[in-house]
Amino acid sequence: GRITIECMASEDMLTLTWQERGGPLHERPKAEGYGSLLGRMASRQLGGGIVREWRPDGLRVTVTARRDRIMARSHPEPDFMP
């Protein structure tokens, strides 16, 4: 199979799309696992969301996040005692 990853940026949002094609068929899980829970929590903290689409041609996952929540900010270096 193949995986395509696309990233797009707008003025205030970043979007990452993961698309699987040509691999083994997967069905939507009956229960949410720990990884799904972590992904959902992280995307909420970043002011975005996560959408999973279980398509006949493969899984598609779209993650969005607000740019201001993930862009690096300049912080002073901490003082360390030798």
Side-chain angles (χ1 to χ4, degrees):
R2 292 180 183 233
I3 297 172
T4 303
I5 300 173
E6 296 177 347
C7 297
M8 296 185 300
S10 68
E11 186 174 316
D12 59 346
M13 295 294 287
L14 294 174
T15 302
L16 179 122
T17 304
W18 168 288
Q19 174 71 54
E20 298 177 2
R21 289 196 174 100
L25 295 177
H26 296 283
E27 293 183 10
R28 182 182 187 96
K30 293 178 177 39
E32 185 175 81
Y34 188 65
S36 296
L37 175 64
L38 287 177
R40 191 174 71 243
M41 290 171 53
S43 64
R44 285 184 185 161
Q45 288 180 342
L46 295 174
I50 186 166
V51 176
R52 290 174 198 84
E53 300 172 76
W54 303 90
R55 301 173 167 194
D57 62 337
L59 174 65
R60 179 182 175 99
V61 180
T62 303
V63 179
T64 57
R66 286 183 25 195
R67 287 181 71 152
D68 64 340
R69 298 248 181 124
I70 62 172
M71 299 304 290
R73 296 185 177 107
S74 61
H75 295 286
E77 291 294 320
D79 292 327
F80 290 102
M81 299 296 289

Short mmCIF file of all heavy atoms in Angstrom, two decimals, residues 7-73:
data_model
loop_
_atom_site.label_atom_id
_atom_site.label_comp_id
_atom_site.label_asym_id
_atom_site.label_seq_id
_atom_site.Cartn_x
_atom_site.Cartn_y
_atom_site.Cartn_z
N CYS A 7 0.27 18.52 4.01
CA CYS A 7 0.18 19.58 5.02
C CYS A 7 -0.24 20.87 4.32
O CYS A 7 0.28 21.19 3.26
CB CYS A 7 1.53 19.80 5.69
SG CYS A 7 2.13 18.38 6.60
N MET A 8 -1.18 21.56 4.93
CA MET A 8 -1.63 22.84 4.40
C MET A 8 -1.70 23.84 5.55
O MET A 8 -2.00 23.47 6.68
CB MET A 8 -3.00 22.71 3.75
CG MET A 8 -3.02 21.81 2.53
SD MET A 8 -4.62 21.78 1.68
CE MET A 8 -5.68 21.15 2.95
N ALA A 9 -1.40 25.09 5.23
CA ALA A 9 -1.46 26.14 6.24
C ALA A 9 -2.30 27.30 5.71
O ALA A 9 -2.17 27.69 4.55
CB ALA A 9 -0.06 26.63 6.57
N SER A 10 -3.16 27.78 6.58
CA SER A 10 -3.87 29.02 6.29
C SER A 10 -3.36 30.05 7.28
O SER A 10 -2.43 29.79 8.04
CB SER A 10 -5.38 28.82 6.43
OG SER A 10 -5.73 28.58 7.78
N GLU A 11 -3.96 31.19 7.29
CA GLU A 11 -3.49 32.26 8.18
C GLU A 11 -3.51 31.83 9.64
O GLU A 11 -2.61 32.16 10.41
CB GLU A 11 -4.35 33.50 7.99
CG GLU A 11 -3.85 34.69 8.76
CD GLU A 11 -4.63 35.93 8.44
OE1 GLU A 11 -4.90 36.18 7.25
OE2 GLU A 11 -4.95 36.66 9.39
N ASP A 12 -4.53 31.06 10.03
CA ASP A 12 -4.66 30.71 11.45
C ASP A 12 -4.70 29.22 11.76
O ASP A 12 -4.65 28.84 12.92
CB ASP A 12 -5.90 31.38 12.04
CG ASP A 12 -7.17 30.96 11.33
OD1 ASP A 12 -7.09 30.39 10.23
OD2 ASP A 12 -8.25 31.21 11.88
N MET A 13 -4.76 28.35 10.74
CA MET A 13 -4.87 26.91 10.98
C MET A 13 -3.83 26.13 10.18
O MET A 13 -3.44 26.53 9.09
CB MET A 13 -6.26 26.39 10.59
CG MET A 13 -7.41 26.94 11.39
SD MET A 13 -7.39 26.45 13.12
CE MET A 13 -7.89 24.74 13.01
N LEU A 14 -3.44 24.99 10.74
CA LEU A 14 -2.61 24.01 10.03
C LEU A 14 -3.43 22.74 9.90
O LEU A 14 -4.15 22.35 10.83
CB LEU A 14 -1.34 23.71 10.80
CG LEU A 14 -0.34 24.84 10.94
CD1 LEU A 14 0.81 24.43 11.85
CD2 LEU A 14 0.20 25.26 9.59
N THR A 15 -3.34 22.10 8.74
CA THR A 15 -4.07 20.86 8.49
C THR A 15 -3.11 19.81 7.96
O THR A 15 -2.34 20.06 7.04
CB THR A 15 -5.19 21.09 7.45
OG1 THR A 15 -6.06 22.11 7.92
CG2 THR A 15 -5.98 19.83 7.19
N LEU A 16 -3.15 18.63 8.57
CA LEU A 16 -2.36 17.50 8.13
C LEU A 16 -3.33 16.39 7.75
O LEU A 16 -4.22 16.05 8.52
CB LEU A 16 -1.43 17.01 9.26
CG LEU A 16 -0.59 15.81 8.85
CD1 LEU A 16 0.88 16.15 9.01
CD2 LEU A 16 -0.97 14.61 9.65
N THR A 17 -3.17 15.85 6.54
CA THR A 17 -4.02 14.77 6.07
C THR A 17 -3.17 13.55 5.76
O THR A 17 -2.17 13.64 5.05
CB THR A 17 -4.80 15.19 4.80
OG1 THR A 17 -5.55 16.38 5.09
CG2 THR A 17 -5.75 14.10 4.35
N TRP A 18 -3.58 12.41 6.32
CA TRP A 18 -2.92 11.11 6.14
C TRP A 18 -3.88 10.25 5.36
O TRP A 18 -5.00 10.01 5.80
CB TRP A 18 -2.66 10.53 7.53
CG TRP A 18 -2.23 9.09 7.60
CD1 TRP A 18 -3.00 7.99 7.37
CD2 TRP A 18 -0.95 8.61 7.97
NE1 TRP A 18 -2.26 6.85 7.58
CE2 TRP A 18 -1.00 7.21 7.95
CE3 TRP A 18 0.25 9.24 8.32
CZ2 TRP A 18 0.10 6.42 8.27
CZ3 TRP A 18 1.34 8.45 8.64
CH2 TRP A 18 1.25 7.06 8.61
N GLN A 19 -3.48 9.77 4.17
CA GLN A 19 -4.35 8.96 3.33
C GLN A 19 -3.66 7.65 3.00
O GLN A 19 -2.55 7.65 2.47
CB GLN A 19 -4.68 9.70 2.03
CG GLN A 19 -5.47 8.88 1.03
CD GLN A 19 -6.91 8.64 1.45
OE1 GLN A 19 -7.62 9.59 1.75
NE2 GLN A 19 -7.34 7.40 1.46
N GLU A 20 -4.29 6.53 3.35
CA GLU A 20 -3.78 5.21 3.02
C GLU A 20 -4.52 4.69 1.80
O GLU A 20 -5.75 4.83 1.71
CB GLU A 20 -3.99 4.25 4.19
CG GLU A 20 -3.26 4.65 5.45
CD GLU A 20 -3.54 3.72 6.61
OE1 GLU A 20 -4.28 2.73 6.45
OE2 GLU A 20 -3.01 4.00 7.71
N ARG A 21 -3.79 4.07 0.87
CA ARG A 21 -4.41 3.48 -0.33
C ARG A 21 -3.67 2.20 -0.70
O ARG A 21 -2.47 2.10 -0.55
CB ARG A 21 -4.32 4.44 -1.51
CG ARG A 21 -5.23 5.63 -1.39
CD ARG A 21 -5.37 6.32 -2.74
NE ARG A 21 -6.35 7.37 -2.65
CZ ARG A 21 -6.06 8.66 -2.52
NH1 ARG A 21 -4.81 9.05 -2.48
NH2 ARG A 21 -7.01 9.56 -2.46
N GLY A 22 -4.44 1.24 -1.19
CA GLY A 22 -3.85 0.03 -1.74
C GLY A 22 -3.33 -0.98 -0.72
O GLY A 22 -2.70 -1.95 -1.09
N GLY A 23 -3.62 -0.76 0.53
CA GLY A 23 -3.18 -1.71 1.56
C GLY A 23 -4.32 -2.64 1.93
O GLY A 23 -5.36 -2.68 1.26
N PRO A 24 -4.15 -3.38 2.98
CA PRO A 24 -5.22 -4.27 3.42
C PRO A 24 -6.44 -3.46 3.87
O PRO A 24 -6.31 -2.36 4.38
CB PRO A 24 -4.60 -5.04 4.59
CG PRO A 24 -3.44 -4.23 5.04
CD PRO A 24 -2.97 -3.45 3.85
N LEU A 25 -7.61 -4.02 3.65
CA LEU A 25 -8.83 -3.34 4.05
C LEU A 25 -8.97 -3.37 5.57
O LEU A 25 -8.65 -4.36 6.22
CB LEU A 25 -10.04 -4.00 3.41
CG LEU A 25 -10.12 -3.93 1.89
CD1 LEU A 25 -11.35 -4.70 1.40
CD2 LEU A 25 -10.20 -2.48 1.43
N HIS A 26 -9.43 -2.25 6.11
CA HIS A 26 -9.67 -2.14 7.54
C HIS A 26 -11.11 -1.70 7.76
O HIS A 26 -11.65 -0.90 7.01
CB HIS A 26 -8.76 -1.08 8.17
CG HIS A 26 -7.31 -1.41 8.09
ND1 HIS A 26 -6.72 -2.32 8.92
CD2 HIS A 26 -6.33 -0.95 7.28
CE1 HIS A 26 -5.44 -2.40 8.63
NE2 HIS A 26 -5.17 -1.59 7.63
N GLU A 27 -11.70 -2.21 8.79
CA GLU A 27 -13.04 -1.77 9.18
C GLU A 27 -12.91 -0.80 10.34
O GLU A 27 -11.95 -0.84 11.10
CB GLU A 27 -13.89 -2.96 9.60
CG GLU A 27 -14.21 -3.91 8.47
CD GLU A 27 -15.12 -5.04 8.92
OE1 GLU A 27 -15.65 -4.98 10.05
OE2 GLU A 27 -15.29 -5.97 8.13
N ARG A 28 -13.90 0.04 10.47
CA ARG A 28 -13.94 0.95 11.61
C ARG A 28 -13.95 0.12 12.89
O ARG A 28 -14.73 -0.80 13.03
CB ARG A 28 -15.19 1.82 11.52
CG ARG A 28 -15.29 2.82 12.63
CD ARG A 28 -16.60 3.62 12.49
NE ARG A 28 -16.60 4.68 13.45
CZ ARG A 28 -16.23 5.92 13.19
NH1 ARG A 28 -15.84 6.25 11.97
NH2 ARG A 28 -16.26 6.84 14.13
N PRO A 29 -13.06 0.46 13.85
CA PRO A 29 -13.03 -0.31 15.09
C PRO A 29 -14.35 -0.19 15.86
O PRO A 29 -15.02 0.84 15.81
CB PRO A 29 -11.90 0.34 15.89
CG PRO A 29 -11.17 1.21 14.95
CD PRO A 29 -12.06 1.50 13.81
N LYS A 30 -14.71 -1.23 16.56
CA LYS A 30 -15.94 -1.22 17.35
C LYS A 30 -15.80 -0.36 18.60
O LYS A 30 -16.76 0.17 19.12
CB LYS A 30 -16.33 -2.65 17.72
CG LYS A 30 -16.74 -3.48 16.52
CD LYS A 30 -17.07 -4.90 16.94
CE LYS A 30 -17.56 -5.78 15.83
NZ LYS A 30 -16.98 -5.69 14.55
N ALA A 31 -14.58 -0.23 19.10
CA ALA A 31 -14.32 0.57 20.31
C ALA A 31 -13.12 1.47 20.05
O ALA A 31 -12.24 1.15 19.26
CB ALA A 31 -14.05 -0.34 21.49
N GLU A 32 -13.11 2.60 20.74
CA GLU A 32 -11.99 3.52 20.61
C GLU A 32 -10.84 3.05 21.49
O GLU A 32 -11.04 2.68 22.65
CB GLU A 32 -12.44 4.92 21.05
CG GLU A 32 -11.38 5.96 20.85
CD GLU A 32 -11.88 7.35 21.19
OE1 GLU A 32 -11.90 7.69 22.38
OE2 GLU A 32 -12.26 8.07 20.26
N GLY A 33 -9.63 3.07 20.94
CA GLY A 33 -8.46 2.67 21.69
C GLY A 33 -7.77 3.85 22.36
O GLY A 33 -8.16 5.01 22.19
N TYR A 34 -6.73 3.56 23.09
CA TYR A 34 -6.00 4.58 23.83
C TYR A 34 -5.36 5.60 22.89
O TYR A 34 -5.36 6.79 23.17
CB TYR A 34 -4.93 3.90 24.71
CG TYR A 34 -4.24 4.85 25.64
CD1 TYR A 34 -4.94 5.47 26.67
CD2 TYR A 34 -2.89 5.12 25.49
CE1 TYR A 34 -4.30 6.34 27.54
CE2 TYR A 34 -2.24 5.99 26.36
CZ TYR A 34 -2.96 6.59 27.38
OH TYR A 34 -2.32 7.45 28.23
N GLY A 35 -4.82 5.15 21.76
CA GLY A 35 -4.21 6.06 20.79
C GLY A 35 -5.22 7.05 20.23
O GLY A 35 -4.91 8.24 20.05
N SER A 36 -6.44 6.60 19.98
CA SER A 36 -7.49 7.50 19.49
C SER A 36 -7.84 8.54 20.54
O SER A 36 -8.04 9.72 20.24
CB SER A 36 -8.74 6.72 19.12
OG SER A 36 -8.47 5.85 18.04
N LEU A 37 -7.90 8.11 21.79
CA LEU A 37 -8.19 9.03 22.89
C LEU A 37 -7.10 10.09 23.00
O LEU A 37 -7.39 11.29 23.12
CB LEU A 37 -8.33 8.26 24.19
CG LEU A 37 -8.51 9.10 25.46
CD1 LEU A 37 -9.82 9.88 25.40
CD2 LEU A 37 -8.47 8.20 26.68
N LEU A 38 -5.84 9.68 22.94
CA LEU A 38 -4.74 10.63 23.01
C LEU A 38 -4.77 11.62 21.85
O LEU A 38 -4.55 12.82 22.03
CB LEU A 38 -3.39 9.90 23.02
CG LEU A 38 -3.02 9.18 24.30
CD1 LEU A 38 -1.70 8.44 24.11
CD2 LEU A 38 -2.93 10.13 25.46
N GLY A 39 -5.04 11.14 20.65
CA GLY A 39 -5.13 12.01 19.48
C GLY A 39 -6.23 13.03 19.62
O GLY A 39 -6.04 14.21 19.30
N ARG A 40 -7.37 12.61 20.11
CA ARG A 40 -8.50 13.53 20.28
C ARG A 40 -8.17 14.58 21.34
O ARG A 40 -8.43 15.77 21.15
CB ARG A 40 -9.75 12.75 20.64
CG ARG A 40 -11.00 13.60 20.58
CD ARG A 40 -12.28 12.81 20.79
NE ARG A 40 -12.38 12.38 22.17
CZ ARG A 40 -12.40 11.12 22.59
NH1 ARG A 40 -12.31 10.14 21.71
NH2 ARG A 40 -12.50 10.82 23.85
N MET A 41 -7.58 14.17 22.45
CA MET A 41 -7.24 15.12 23.51
C MET A 41 -6.19 16.13 23.04
O MET A 41 -6.31 17.33 23.30
CB MET A 41 -6.73 14.36 24.74
CG MET A 41 -7.82 13.58 25.45
SD MET A 41 -7.20 12.47 26.75
CE MET A 41 -6.21 13.55 27.74
N ALA A 42 -5.17 15.66 22.34
CA ALA A 42 -4.13 16.55 21.85
C ALA A 42 -4.68 17.56 20.84
O ALA A 42 -4.35 18.75 20.90
CB ALA A 42 -2.99 15.75 21.22
N SER A 43 -5.54 17.10 19.94
CA SER A 43 -6.07 18.01 18.94
C SER A 43 -6.96 19.07 19.59
O SER A 43 -6.95 20.23 19.18
CB SER A 43 -6.83 17.26 17.85
OG SER A 43 -7.95 16.59 18.37
N ARG A 44 -7.69 18.72 20.63
CA ARG A 44 -8.50 19.71 21.34
C ARG A 44 -7.62 20.74 22.03
O ARG A 44 -7.93 21.93 22.03
CB ARG A 44 -9.41 19.03 22.35
CG ARG A 44 -10.57 18.34 21.71
CD ARG A 44 -11.48 17.76 22.75
NE ARG A 44 -12.55 16.99 22.14
CZ ARG A 44 -13.26 16.10 22.77
NH1 ARG A 44 -13.04 15.84 24.04
NH2 ARG A 44 -14.22 15.44 22.14
N GLN A 45 -6.53 20.30 22.63
CA GLN A 45 -5.63 21.23 23.29
C GLN A 45 -4.98 22.18 22.30
O GLN A 45 -4.63 23.30 22.65
CB GLN A 45 -4.55 20.49 24.07
CG GLN A 45 -5.07 19.81 25.31
CD GLN A 45 -3.97 19.07 26.06
OE1 GLN A 45 -2.91 18.79 25.51
NE2 GLN A 45 -4.23 18.77 27.31
N LEU A 46 -4.86 21.74 21.06
CA LEU A 46 -4.27 22.58 20.02
C LEU A 46 -5.32 23.41 19.29
O LEU A 46 -5.02 24.05 18.29
CB LEU A 46 -3.49 21.71 19.03
CG LEU A 46 -2.28 21.01 19.62
CD1 LEU A 46 -1.67 20.06 18.59
CD2 LEU A 46 -1.25 22.02 20.11
N GLY A 47 -6.55 23.40 19.77
CA GLY A 47 -7.59 24.22 19.18
C GLY A 47 -8.08 23.71 17.84
O GLY A 47 -8.55 24.48 17.01
N GLY A 48 -7.98 22.42 17.61
CA GLY A 48 -8.38 21.86 16.33
C GLY A 48 -9.24 20.63 16.51
O GLY A 48 -10.06 20.56 17.42
N GLY A 49 -9.03 19.67 15.65
CA GLY A 49 -9.81 18.45 15.71
C GLY A 49 -9.14 17.33 14.94
O GLY A 49 -8.12 17.53 14.30
N ILE A 50 -9.73 16.16 15.03
CA ILE A 50 -9.24 15.00 14.30
C ILE A 50 -10.44 14.26 13.74
O ILE A 50 -11.44 14.07 14.43
CB ILE A 50 -8.37 14.09 15.20
CG1 ILE A 50 -7.75 12.94 14.39
CG2 ILE A 50 -9.15 13.57 16.39
CD1 ILE A 50 -6.64 12.21 15.12
N VAL A 51 -10.37 13.93 12.46
CA VAL A 51 -11.45 13.22 11.78
C VAL A 51 -10.86 11.98 11.12
O VAL A 51 -9.88 12.08 10.38
CB VAL A 51 -12.13 14.11 10.70
CG1 VAL A 51 -13.19 13.33 9.94
CG2 VAL A 51 -12.73 15.36 11.33
N ARG A 52 -11.46 10.83 11.41
CA ARG A 52 -11.05 9.57 10.78
C ARG A 52 -12.16 9.12 9.84
O ARG A 52 -13.32 9.05 10.27
CB ARG A 52 -10.80 8.50 11.84
CG ARG A 52 -9.58 8.75 12.66
CD ARG A 52 -9.49 7.73 13.78
NE ARG A 52 -8.58 8.17 14.82
CZ ARG A 52 -8.90 8.98 15.81
NH1 ARG A 52 -10.11 9.45 15.93
NH2 ARG A 52 -8.00 9.34 16.70
N GLU A 53 -11.80 8.83 8.61
CA GLU A 53 -12.77 8.36 7.62
C GLU A 53 -12.34 6.97 7.16
O GLU A 53 -11.26 6.82 6.59
CB GLU A 53 -12.82 9.31 6.43
CG GLU A 53 -13.22 10.73 6.79
CD GLU A 53 -13.07 11.64 5.61
OE1 GLU A 53 -13.92 11.58 4.71
OE2 GLU A 53 -12.08 12.40 5.59
N TRP A 54 -13.18 5.99 7.42
CA TRP A 54 -12.90 4.60 7.03
C TRP A 54 -13.51 4.39 5.65
O TRP A 54 -14.66 4.00 5.52
CB TRP A 54 -13.45 3.64 8.07
CG TRP A 54 -12.88 3.92 9.42
CD1 TRP A 54 -13.38 4.76 10.36
CD2 TRP A 54 -11.67 3.42 9.94
NE1 TRP A 54 -12.56 4.80 11.45
CE2 TRP A 54 -11.49 3.98 11.23
CE3 TRP A 54 -10.71 2.53 9.46
CZ2 TRP A 54 -10.40 3.68 12.03
CZ3 TRP A 54 -9.62 2.24 10.27
CH2 TRP A 54 -9.48 2.80 11.53
N ARG A 55 -12.75 4.67 4.60
CA ARG A 55 -13.23 4.60 3.22
C ARG A 55 -12.90 3.25 2.61
O ARG A 55 -11.96 2.57 3.04
CB ARG A 55 -12.56 5.69 2.39
CG ARG A 55 -12.82 7.08 2.89
CD ARG A 55 -11.98 8.04 2.10
NE ARG A 55 -12.40 9.41 2.33
CZ ARG A 55 -12.03 10.42 1.58
NH1 ARG A 55 -11.22 10.24 0.55
NH2 ARG A 55 -12.46 11.63 1.85
N PRO A 56 -13.63 2.87 1.56
CA PRO A 56 -13.31 1.61 0.87
C PRO A 56 -11.90 1.58 0.30
O PRO A 56 -11.27 0.52 0.24
CB PRO A 56 -14.35 1.53 -0.26
CG PRO A 56 -15.46 2.42 0.18
CD PRO A 56 -14.84 3.49 1.03
N ASP A 57 -11.36 2.75 -0.08
CA ASP A 57 -10.01 2.79 -0.66
C ASP A 57 -8.92 2.96 0.39
O ASP A 57 -7.74 2.97 0.05
CB ASP A 57 -9.91 3.87 -1.73
CG ASP A 57 -10.15 5.27 -1.18
OD1 ASP A 57 -10.79 5.41 -0.12
OD2 ASP A 57 -9.69 6.23 -1.82
N GLY A 58 -9.29 3.11 1.66
CA GLY A 58 -8.29 3.22 2.72
C GLY A 58 -8.65 4.28 3.75
O GLY A 58 -9.54 5.10 3.56
N LEU A 59 -7.95 4.25 4.83
CA LEU A 59 -8.18 5.18 5.93
C LEU A 59 -7.68 6.57 5.58
O LEU A 59 -6.60 6.73 5.00
CB LEU A 59 -7.44 4.68 7.19
CG LEU A 59 -7.46 5.60 8.41
CD1 LEU A 59 -8.87 5.76 8.96
CD2 LEU A 59 -6.52 5.05 9.47
N ARG A 60 -8.46 7.57 5.94
CA ARG A 60 -8.06 8.98 5.77
C ARG A 60 -8.23 9.65 7.13
O ARG A 60 -9.31 9.59 7.73
CB ARG A 60 -8.93 9.66 4.72
CG ARG A 60 -8.58 11.11 4.51
CD ARG A 60 -9.55 11.70 3.47
NE ARG A 60 -9.35 13.10 3.30
CZ ARG A 60 -8.65 13.67 2.32
NH1 ARG A 60 -8.08 12.90 1.42
NH2 ARG A 60 -8.54 14.97 2.25
N VAL A 61 -7.16 10.28 7.60
CA VAL A 61 -7.19 10.99 8.87
C VAL A 61 -6.81 12.44 8.61
O VAL A 61 -5.79 12.72 7.98
CB VAL A 61 -6.21 10.37 9.90
CG1 VAL A 61 -6.25 11.13 11.22
CG2 VAL A 61 -6.52 8.90 10.12
N THR A 62 -7.64 13.36 9.11
CA THR A 62 -7.36 14.79 8.97
C THR A 62 -7.25 15.39 10.36
O THR A 62 -8.15 15.23 11.18
CB THR A 62 -8.48 15.49 8.17
OG1 THR A 62 -8.62 14.85 6.90
CG2 THR A 62 -8.17 16.96 7.96
N VAL A 63 -6.12 16.04 10.61
CA VAL A 63 -5.86 16.67 11.89
C VAL A 63 -5.71 18.17 11.66
O VAL A 63 -4.97 18.58 10.76
CB VAL A 63 -4.56 16.13 12.53
CG1 VAL A 63 -4.28 16.80 13.86
CG2 VAL A 63 -4.64 14.62 12.69
N THR A 64 -6.41 18.97 12.46
CA THR A 64 -6.28 20.42 12.37
C THR A 64 -5.82 20.97 13.70
O THR A 64 -6.10 20.39 14.76
CB THR A 64 -7.62 21.08 11.98
OG1 THR A 64 -8.62 20.71 12.93
CG2 THR A 64 -8.06 20.68 10.58
N ALA A 65 -5.10 22.09 13.63
CA ALA A 65 -4.62 22.75 14.84
C ALA A 65 -4.45 24.23 14.56
O ALA A 65 -4.12 24.63 13.43
CB ALA A 65 -3.29 22.16 15.28
N ARG A 66 -4.67 25.03 15.59
CA ARG A 66 -4.46 26.47 15.45
C ARG A 66 -2.96 26.74 15.41
O ARG A 66 -2.21 26.21 16.21
CB ARG A 66 -5.09 27.22 16.62
CG ARG A 66 -6.59 27.26 16.53
CD ARG A 66 -7.25 28.05 17.62
NE ARG A 66 -6.41 29.09 18.22
CZ ARG A 66 -6.70 29.67 19.36
NH1 ARG A 66 -7.78 29.33 20.04
NH2 ARG A 66 -5.91 30.60 19.85
N ARG A 67 -2.56 27.58 14.48
CA ARG A 67 -1.13 27.88 14.33
C ARG A 67 -0.54 28.50 15.58
O ARG A 67 0.58 28.18 15.97
CB ARG A 67 -0.91 28.82 13.15
CG ARG A 67 -1.10 28.14 11.81
CD ARG A 67 -0.86 29.09 10.70
NE ARG A 67 0.57 29.38 10.63
CZ ARG A 67 1.20 29.72 9.53
NH1 ARG A 67 0.55 29.82 8.40
NH2 ARG A 67 2.48 29.96 9.54
N ASP A 68 -1.28 29.37 16.24
CA ASP A 68 -0.74 30.05 17.41
C ASP A 68 -0.52 29.10 18.59
O ASP A 68 0.21 29.42 19.51
CB ASP A 68 -1.60 31.23 17.83
CG ASP A 68 -3.00 30.83 18.28
OD1 ASP A 68 -3.46 29.72 17.95
OD2 ASP A 68 -3.65 31.65 18.97
N ARG A 69 -1.12 27.92 18.53
CA ARG A 69 -0.93 26.95 19.62
C ARG A 69 0.26 26.02 19.39
O ARG A 69 0.69 25.34 20.32
CB ARG A 69 -2.18 26.10 19.78
CG ARG A 69 -3.40 26.89 20.15
CD ARG A 69 -3.83 26.55 21.55
NE ARG A 69 -5.03 27.30 21.90
CZ ARG A 69 -6.16 26.75 22.32
NH1 ARG A 69 -6.25 25.44 22.42
NH2 ARG A 69 -7.17 27.50 22.65
N ILE A 70 0.78 25.97 18.16
CA ILE A 70 1.88 25.04 17.90
C ILE A 70 3.15 25.71 17.40
O ILE A 70 4.20 25.08 17.39
CB ILE A 70 1.48 23.92 16.94
CG1 ILE A 70 1.10 24.47 15.58
CG2 ILE A 70 0.37 23.09 17.50
CD1 ILE A 70 0.89 23.39 14.56
N MET A 71 3.08 26.96 16.99
CA MET A 71 4.27 27.63 16.51
C MET A 71 5.20 27.92 17.69
O MET A 71 4.75 28.25 18.78
CB MET A 71 3.92 28.93 15.78
CG MET A 71 3.04 28.71 14.55
SD MET A 71 3.73 27.57 13.33
CE MET A 71 5.05 28.55 12.70
N ALA A 72 6.49 27.80 17.44
CA ALA A 72 7.48 28.02 18.49
C ALA A 72 7.43 29.47 18.96
O ALA A 72 7.29 30.39 18.17
CB ALA A 72 8.86 27.67 17.97
N ARG A 73 7.53 29.62 20.25
CA ARG A 73 7.61 30.95 20.84
C ARG A 73 9.00 31.08 21.44
O ARG A 73 9.58 30.11 21.91
CB ARG A 73 6.55 31.11 21.92
CG ARG A 73 5.15 31.04 21.36
CD ARG A 73 4.16 31.34 22.48
NE ARG A 73 2.82 31.35 21.95
CZ ARG A 73 1.92 30.39 22.16
NH1 ARG A 73 2.23 29.35 22.89
NH2 ARG A 73 0.73 30.48 21.65
#
